[in-house]
Amino acid sequence: MLRRRRSSVMTSAALLLALGMSGCATGEAPSGAADSPASPSSAPPDKSGPDCTEPPKTPGAGKSYDKAPSAATAKGKTFTATIKTNCGDIVLELDGKKAPQTVASFVKLADDDYWKNSPCHRLTGGSSLSVLQCGDPTGEGNGDPGYGYGIENAPEDGSYPKGTVAMARTQDPNSNGGQFFLVYADSQLPTDGGGYSIFAKVVGGSDVLQSIATAGVEGGGGDGPPQQPISILSVNVTEKKA
């Protein structure tokens, strides 16, 4: 399954779920997703895409918290999150109506600079799983903010359309924390275990995902660190007013 820990992404139903600290998950398919980038390959980075600067040094262990923030802080609200990376900005729309606990956690971690200088440690490509996984300050796929919470807004059919953003977790359905994945091409994940929490959609910066996906996985293959290193420099979140 799409786990937080760096286990291999499964190309079979079971493998796909392993995106936990190496995994992904989404709930109902978001609308208005960006166009799907090409599948990863072992080719050099696509120079027609965004220019990437040298990624910062990995910070190591991130901050730790006693418990997850209250879902009430995000319930019924919509937010815009700008993820600044060394390869350009990726903009998300966070849905606090469908995934209040996940969005409340994301906003809290963003405000606390939890992801500052953290690398996106995993890229997958294949007929059923095409994601970029981020959110672990250690860069190893094992980090978490010290708390976990349950699944929200997971699709019953296991469909995660391009542009979807969902939480990665371990086999434990209550292990959602700080790792998340961005789907750059329509993906299908197993529904065993409850699926993965969809909490946002990509509304800007799809060219950044395209560039990373086109560059492929380090050393070739379909699952591993991106050949073009990409790190989160900062995340800025603002509430959208009605």
Side-chain angles (χ1 to χ4, degrees):
M1 43 169 56
L2 292 177
R3 324 182 156 194
R4 289 178 310 172
R5 110 182 24 154
R6 190 168 178 182
S7 54
S8 61
V9 178
M10 310 182 175
T11 45
S12 66
L15 292 173
L16 292 176
L17 291 175
L19 275 184
M21 291 197 168
S22 151
C24 12
T26 18
E28 296 180 4
S31 61
D35 290 340
S36 168
S39 296
S41 69
S42 58
D46 181 2
K47 297 304 182 182
S48 64
D51 292 330
C52 295
T53 59
E54 190 71 21
K57 180 180 179 180
T58 301
K63 297 179 181 179
S64 185
Y65 304 82
D66 293 332
K67 61 181 180 179
S70 171
T73 60
K75 187 175 182 179
K77 301 177 182 179
T78 303
F79 301 82
T80 298
T82 300
I83 302 176
K84 182 178 180 60
T85 80
N86 63 304
C87 294
D89 292 352
I90 299 174
V91 184
L92 312 180
E93 183 176 278
L94 312 181
D95 192 343
K97 298 177 181 179
K98 294 181 178 179
Q101 181 61 78
T102 307
V103 172
S105 175
F106 190 96
V107 172
K108 170 64 175 176
L109 296 180
D111 287 347
D112 283 1
D113 286 333
Y114 176 79
W115 294 300
K116 184 177 181 180
N117 296 337
S118 63
C120 292
H121 63 277
R122 188 182 189 192
L123 180 69
T124 71
S127 59
S128 57
L129 183 62
S130 299
V131 305
L132 175 66
Q133 187 173 335
C134 310
D136 174 19
T138 72
E140 296 296 327
N142 297 306
D144 65 57
Y147 61 75
Y149 54 87
I151 300 169
E152 296 180 301
N153 195 39
E156 294 183 359
D157 63 356
S159 177
Y160 297 79
K162 60 185 181 247
T164 295
V165 186
M167 293 303 297
R169 62 177 177 81
T170 64
Q171 293 181 349
D172 180 356
N174 294 308
S175 62
N176 295 280
Q179 293 192 40
F180 58 94
F181 59 93
L182 303 98
V183 182
Y184 65 82
D186 291 350
S187 296
Q188 190 70 29
L189 289 164
T191 56
D192 296 347
Y196 303 89
S197 301
I198 292 176
F199 68 96
K201 62 183 178 182
V202 177
V203 295
S206 59
D207 57 334
V208 175
L209 289 177
Q210 171 75 62
S211 176
I212 302 305
T214 300
V217 176
E218 184 179 277
D223 184 353
Q227 179 163 290
Q228 168 58 66
I230 177 171
S231 292
I232 296 174
L233 305 181
S234 64
V235 183
N236 181 61
V237 179
T238 57
E239 183 180 349
K240 295 182 68 175
K241 301 298 183 180

